[in-house]
Amino acid sequence: MLGWEGNLQYSSHRDFLPRGSGIVTRRPLVLQLITAKTEYAEFLHCKGKKFTDFDEVRQEIEVETDRVTGMNKGISSVPINLRIYSPHVLSLTLIDLPGITKVPVGDQPPDIEQQIRDMIMQFISRENCLILAVTPANTDLANSDALKLAKEVDPQGLRTIGVITKLDLMDEGTDAREVLENKLLPLRRGYIGVVNRSQKDIDGKKDIKAALLAERKFFLSHPSYRHMADRMGTPYLQKVLNQQLTNHIRDTLPAFRSKLQSQLLSIEHEVEVYKNFRPEDPTRKTKALLQMVQQFSVDFEKRIEGSGDQVDTLELSGGAKINRIFHERFPFELVKMEFNEKELRREISYAIKNIHGIRTGLFTPDMAFEAIVKKQIVKLKGPCLKSVDLVMQELINTVKKCTKKLATYPRLCEETERIVAGYIREREEKTKDQMLLLIDIQVSYINTNHEDFIGFANAQQRSSQVNKSAVGNQGTNLPPSRQIVIRKGWLTINNIGIMKGGSKEYWFVLTAESLSWYKDDEEKEKKYMLPLDNLKVRDVEKSFMSSKHIFALFNTEQRNVYKDYRFLELACDSQEEVDSWKASLLRAGVYPDKSSTETEENGQADNFSMDPQLERQVETIRNLVDSYMSIINKCIRDLIPKTIMHLMINNVKEFINAELLAHLYSSEDQNTLMEESAEQAQRRDETLRMYQALKEALAIIGDISTSTVSTPAPPPVDDSWLQQARRSPPPSPSTPRRPTLNNPPTRPLSGRGPAPAIPSPGPQSGAPPVPFRPGALPPFPSADAHGGPPQVPSRPSRAPPSVPRRADADGSSRPDSPPLLLDL
């Protein structure tokens, strides 16, 4: 149907394209010609079936077309893929596209013209395709939709070849000589004329070889074409396409080689794993199992201990996360255990009274101290057990990440994860038992002779200092420690600078006694120092206009925190930074506000006696408890990470190294464990096949690049008539004047290499070369005063009634044919 049926079918001397009236090609036909020793055809939708009878090929094309589009002229963009293997063809891919239909018929949709246009554009837009713009000789070339579409996607004309059909149907006295000589409406690559079989020839079973001879005889005997007969006809069109293939190969070899080499490098690492795969080796599964378990062990240890290779830069994982649990999360949980001051003093008061009983005690009883301290130590069990849970969860997450490399063998991956996770949970129970034991050990003996313990004398002396508050601060027995810096960093004071034009950022320094801020991190200009006594922290809801996260400091005695401000709003860029500052403030004794109003009990007067002696005893016990709990916290913070490391982490590593393999052997049959997934087997085969193909392709490219000969691209021509064709067509055939090249020749786009070219015949061929006219010629004349469309010279606007219209290659009789695409 595309008007060059001879090139498709004479190349293999086979006739297999459907013919008929109306639109016959209703689906794109992707025809791959492959050079082979034997001749047969294959369809992609009929895998494994070889067609040797080409009448059956035609029937299959018709049946497959009707199956998708229906029987009443419907169309579809789903292509039919056909491969023809033959010793008589060049390795090319040809795409036969439907012709442009203006008026819908049958089951065709109302927008049939736009649908076919979109379908054609989908193929011809590819840069590695040649476009055969086919136009019948007995229609107006200036109105050719094929040339117009080709110009849209190929403005430089580097891959467009004009094909003129139906030269034998032109009226006597007319010819297309000036078109074929590329003088009338020039294309950069010129035009090639072909003469196809008529419907009568096909019905009469005219042999294709005879048709080729008839075409040759036509051009040699025609007075207008005999001088260029060697550059006309189907064989010459085949020769041109072959040369364009050669040009395309030569032009694309450097970029293609680079692309292949990059692909080869990208899969080389994966291929190294597959290279040693030997499916027939009886020991293959054993070797693979040993390698997988060893790799899992190495990966697990690297994730825990840390390594320089394959570092995760997106998030913390493995050992880094466990380290954070040990030194940030666990201490935070300990410090967060805020003493309820009223409740604690009430308990101390009850303890002192109950120990004295009916007597009035003269001295502070140490039994009250021990009772209160033991109760506080027991509360440490919660944070200790929680730290074990966090480490256990991180170990299981690490195992899951390490088993991803075992995905080749699904059963092995599943069993490894199950066995190791089960063992981690066993160690979790034993570690928790040990934690409880450590707490019980601390409860069993209260060591008041500890070198860091404040002692009764210092506690009584401190309780006598009314203005000195020791509540909630750690290290009360070591005043110098209060000068140790707990944290430094940038914070934005959110509420103070509002009246002065907005918030401002300062450098903050937190110690156990105060919070100071400076102009910058050089700490030369101190702006203010805020004592931490009676301060607490509360959350502030994030404002709609602000992207920062805010928390506030306020005084529990309703005093101003800073100058005239009742509270101090501090802002950070992230919630994580806010939590980190809160943890640091907890270490300094600044606790979160619980925002709960506690109602006093009716017997509150009994809880706190107005007896000054009892008040001094309560304050003394309170100072002793604070001092001793500081010692216990310090000990626990040191022991818990060590215990978890010994009983869980190191033990799990030893289990994976020494016992995992034995558990795998005992859990399931080795053959079952080492069964590959179907996806992995397919991936391995495809990767190895691709690797081998890439190596062969690079070797072939090395041979081709030294032997391929290409021809230079022809010079540009003035093809502005393509844009003007709709509004100012070329002159009629009777006009003797020729067009002028009004505009200077356009140059190819920058950056593009030399394009394929049509070889011009040499001086020995007997035919002149394709003309190129650099000089100016007279302009296009108009057909009439109204600018009506002129006709192509030497031929009428349509075939005379006495000459029957000849069908295209597929028998369709349309006013125009679409571009034919050649996919290289």
Side-chain angles (χ1 to χ4, degrees):
M1 83 173 211
L2 292 174
W4 74 300
E5 155 253 1
N7 185 54
L8 281 178
Q9 300 177 9
Y10 297 157
S11 59
S12 60
H13 292 198
R14 297 291 184 179
D15 181 6
F16 57 86
L17 287 183
R19 302 289 294 267
S21 60
I23 180 169
V24 175
T25 303
R26 293 178 285 130
R27 291 176 60 184
L29 175 65
V30 180
L31 175 62
Q32 292 177 277
L33 304 178
I34 301 172
T35 305
K37 294 181 179 179
T38 58
E39 189 171 74
Y40 62 93
E42 284 184 347
F43 286 94
L44 187 63
H45 62 273
C46 299
K47 290 185 179 179
K49 183 177 180 180
K50 294 183 179 181
F51 293 81
T52 55
D53 185 349
F54 281 80
D55 287 335
E56 293 183 7
V57 173
R58 183 190 303 107
Q59 294 171 7
E60 182 62 32
I61 293 174
E62 294 173 349
V63 170
E64 180 63 16
T65 299
D66 292 341
R67 184 183 66 83
V68 175
T69 63
M71 306 287 288
N72 197 15
K73 303 300 181 182
I75 67 164
S76 172
S77 61
V78 179
I80 299 174
N81 291 272
L82 172 62
R83 289 181 179 178
I84 294 181
Y85 298 83
S86 173
H88 309 297
V89 300
L90 296 169
S91 294
L92 295 174
T93 298
L94 307 161
I95 303 177
D96 185 7
L97 298 171
I100 296 178
T101 299
K102 304 291 185 181
V103 179
V105 296
D107 292 334
Q108 293 174 354
D111 61 340
I112 179 69
E113 181 181 2
Q114 185 62 39
Q115 286 194 24
I116 294 179
R117 176 188 170 87
D118 293 343
M119 187 190 309
I120 292 171
M121 294 295 287
Q122 175 186 354
F123 288 97
I124 68 174
S125 299
R126 301 174 186 174
E127 289 294 328
N128 64 334
C129 299
L130 288 180
I131 304 169
L132 296 189
V134 183
T135 306
N138 55 5
T139 60
D140 190 355
L141 184 66
N143 293 327
S144 170
D145 285 324
L147 291 173
K148 184 174 182 294
L149 290 176
K151 181 64 175 177
E152 290 182 22
V153 297
D154 181 30
Q156 301 299 320
L158 291 172
R159 53 190 183 92
T160 301
I161 300 173
V163 178
I164 305 299
T165 64
K166 300 184 181 180
L167 292 167
D168 55 334
L169 297 185
M170 297 187 71
D171 192 17
E172 287 189 23
T174 63
D175 58 53
R177 175 176 175 172
E178 289 195 341
V179 174
L180 294 176
E181 287 180 346
N182 208 29
K183 294 178 180 178
L184 182 63
L185 301 173
L187 286 178
R188 186 166 186 171
R189 295 196 177 277
Y191 299 86
I192 300 173
V194 296
V195 176
N196 297 327
R197 294 178 301 168
S198 66
Q199 190 63 43
K200 181 180 178 181
D201 294 336
I202 295 171
D203 295 339
K205 304 294 183 182
K206 185 175 183 178
D207 184 66
I208 290 182
K209 291 183 179 180
L212 280 173
L213 292 174
E215 181 187 44
R216 178 68 174 165
K217 182 179 179 181
F218 172 82
F219 285 112
L220 289 173
S221 60
H222 199 289
S224 299
Y225 309 136
R226 66 178 61 166
H227 68 284
M228 51 181 167
D230 288 341
R231 291 182 287 111
M232 296 291 118
T234 300
Y236 181 72
L237 182 55
Q238 289 178 289
K239 179 181 177 182
V240 168
L241 297 180
N242 183 28
Q243 183 60 56
Q244 299 316 308
L245 173 64
T246 304
N247 291 348
H248 179 71
I249 290 174
R250 186 63 182 250
D251 293 340
T252 57
L253 276 181
F256 191 48
R257 181 189 290 109
S258 299
K259 185 177 181 181
L260 290 178
Q261 286 174 341
S262 63
Q263 288 180 341
L264 192 68
L265 289 174
S266 66
I267 65 172
E268 213 161 38
H269 178 72
E270 189 174 358
V271 169
E272 284 297 325
V273 180
Y274 298 146
K275 274 183 178 177
N276 300 322
F277 183 79
R278 300 289 182 271
E280 69 283 354
D281 185 359
T283 63
R284 175 183 62 83
K285 292 186 176 181
T286 302
K287 292 178 182 177
L289 178 59
L290 292 173
Q291 289 174 352
M292 289 292 167
V293 173
Q294 183 180 11
Q295 183 65 45
F296 173 77
S297 176
V298 170
D299 289 346
F300 183 83
E301 187 160 354
K302 281 184 177 180
R303 283 187 174 272
I304 298 299
E305 300 295 337
S307 66
D309 57 337
Q310 300 178 357
V311 176
D312 189 350
T313 58
L314 300 177
E315 62 176 357
L316 292 178
S317 63
K321 229 170 189 179
I322 293 174
N323 181 35
R324 189 174 181 180
I325 293 170
F326 284 163
H327 302 296
E328 291 186 28
R329 187 67 184 271
F330 177 58
F332 177 75
E333 294 293 332
L334 288 179
V335 176
K336 198 167 64 174
M337 291 178 55
E338 176 189 359
F339 300 137
N340 187 320
E341 194 62 32
K342 291 181 180 179
E343 186 65 30
L344 180 59
R345 289 180 175 275
R346 185 182 295 116
E347 290 178 2
I348 294 174
S349 175
Y350 281 144
I352 293 174
K353 289 182 177 181
N354 288 333
I355 289 171
H356 287 159
I358 198 172
R359 301 181 302 277
T360 301
L362 299 177
F363 303 103
T364 304
D366 57 354
M367 292 180 63
F369 161 72
E370 287 198 10
I372 298 299
V373 162
K374 287 180 179 179
K375 188 174 181 180
Q376 298 301 324
I377 292 175
V378 170
K379 291 181 180 180
L380 297 177
K381 290 183 178 180
C384 293
L385 296 179
K386 186 174 182 179
S387 66
V388 178
D389 290 335
L390 293 173
V391 173
M392 182 268 297
Q393 189 58 50
E394 187 53 39
L395 287 176
I396 291 179
N397 291 340
T398 303
V399 169
K400 288 181 178 179
K401 290 180 180 179
C402 292
T403 53
K404 287 182 180 178
K405 290 188 178 180
L406 309 182
T408 307
Y409 307 99
R411 285 297 301 157
L412 176 63
C413 179
E414 183 182 334
E415 279 299 299
T416 301
E417 191 173 319
R418 181 187 64 82
I419 292 170
V420 178
Y423 185 78
I424 290 173
R425 290 188 174 92
E426 288 180 15
R427 301 310 303 174
E428 174 204 5
E429 294 300 324
K430 293 185 178 179
T431 306
K432 284 184 175 180
D433 291 342
Q434 184 66 26
M435 295 289 178
L436 298 177
L437 179 61
L438 286 175
I439 301 299
D440 291 341
I441 289 173
Q442 294 290 349
V443 171
S444 63
Y445 180 67
I446 306 301
N447 182 18
T448 54
N449 284 330
H450 194 280
E451 57 185 3
D452 293 336
F453 186 55
I454 192 174
F456 268 88
N458 289 332
Q460 288 175 344
Q461 180 182 1
R462 183 162 297 180
S463 64
S464 64
Q465 299 174 1
V466 179
N467 295 328
K468 183 69 174 177
S469 174
V471 178
N473 285 304
Q474 297 180 3
T476 53
N477 57 321
L478 296 173
S481 69
R482 292 183 174 274
Q483 304 305 319
I484 297 175
V485 175
I486 296 175
R487 185 186 178 96
K488 293 183 179 183
W490 291 98
L491 283 174
T492 300
I493 300 181
N494 209 49
N495 62 322
I496 292 179
I498 293 177
M499 302 301 295
K500 298 180 180 180
S503 57
K504 197 168 183 181
E505 196 172 32
Y506 293 99
W507 178 258
F508 279 75
V509 178
L510 174 67
T511 67
E513 283 287 349
S514 64
L515 179 65
S516 307
W517 57 90
Y518 299 80
K519 181 179 179 181
D520 52 41
D521 55 1
E522 293 182 0
E523 300 181 14
K524 292 181 179 179
E525 185 179 345
K526 181 185 286 189
K527 292 294 184 180
Y528 194 76
M529 185 178 75
L530 178 66
L532 299 182
D533 293 337
N534 301 319
L535 289 186
K536 281 198 173 185
V537 180
R538 72 181 175 197
D539 294 324
V540 177
E541 187 175 351
K542 182 179 175 182
S543 65
F544 175 74
M545 299 297 294
S546 174
S547 61
K548 290 184 175 290
H549 299 262
I550 308 170
F551 65 96
L553 298 176
F554 68 97
N555 194 293
T556 56
E557 297 181 355
Q558 303 299 319
R559 295 178 182 175
N560 292 339
V561 174
Y562 170 72
K563 296 184 178 179
D564 296 332
Y565 297 94
R566 299 298 298 271
F567 56 91
L568 186 68
E569 281 190 5
L570 302 175
C572 303
D573 291 331
S574 65
Q575 186 60 42
E576 185 177 357
E577 196 175 354
V578 170
D579 294 339
S580 181
W581 271 101
K582 285 182 180 179
S584 300
L585 288 166
L586 277 174
R587 291 175 57 192
V590 180
Y591 295 97
D593 179 29
K594 290 188 175 180
S595 301
S596 59
T597 58
E598 297 182 1
T599 57
E600 300 292 337
E601 298 179 1
N602 295 331
Q604 184 179 3
D606 298 331
N607 297 340
F608 295 97
S609 172
M610 299 304 292
D611 182 4
Q613 183 179 355
L614 180 59
E615 288 299 322
R616 285 194 298 272
Q617 291 177 350
V618 169
E619 185 63 27
T620 300
I621 297 295
R622 176 65 184 88
N623 289 335
L624 292 172
V625 169
D626 190 29
S627 175
Y628 196 80
M629 287 306 298
S630 176
I631 297 170
I632 296 297
N633 284 344
K634 186 176 180 180
C635 180
I636 290 296
R637 282 196 339 225
D638 182 60
L639 277 178
I640 296 305
K642 294 178 179 178
T643 305
I644 294 175
M645 194 72 193
H646 175 68
L647 294 179
M648 284 188 71
I649 300 173
N650 289 343
N651 213 287
V652 170
K653 287 196 297 184
E654 291 174 5
F655 172 80
I656 292 173
N657 285 328
E659 301 181 40
L660 176 59
L661 188 61
H663 279 75
L664 286 171
Y665 272 117
S666 63
S667 66
E668 204 163 340
D669 178 63
Q670 179 185 344
N671 291 327
T672 305
L673 275 178
M674 302 309 293
E675 282 183 359
E676 278 188 306
S677 63
E679 295 81 4
Q680 179 60 27
Q682 181 181 358
R683 177 176 175 79
R684 182 185 63 251
D685 294 341
E686 288 178 355
T687 303
L688 291 173
R689 191 160 53 244
M690 183 184 296
Y691 182 77
Q692 191 61 32
L694 288 172
K695 290 186 67 176
E696 292 176 2
L698 287 171
I700 292 171
I701 286 176
D703 296 336
I704 290 177
S705 61
T706 58
S707 59
T708 303
V709 179
S710 60
T711 59
V717 298
D718 179 17
D719 56 1
S720 58
W721 61 272
L722 284 172
Q723 287 88 349
Q724 301 169 357
R726 295 298 181 187
R727 53 183 184 273
S728 57
S732 64
S734 61
T735 306
R737 303 175 68 180
R738 294 181 178 177
T740 180
L741 301 178
N742 295 323
N743 299 325
T746 57
R747 305 304 303 168
L749 293 174
S750 62
R752 291 190 61 164
I758 301 175
S760 300
Q764 293 80 8
S765 65
V770 177
F772 173 71
R773 304 178 62 85
L777 294 176
F780 286 100
S782 299
D784 51 49
H786 302 287
Q791 305 300 321
V792 177
S794 304
R795 67 173 188 266
S797 60
R798 57 183 178 86
S802 59
V803 180
R805 285 184 63 93
R806 174 179 168 186
D808 288 344
D810 62 351
S812 61
S813 54
R814 301 181 307 278
D816 251 334
S817 298
L820 174 63
L821 182 71
L822 173 61
D823 188 346
L824 296 182

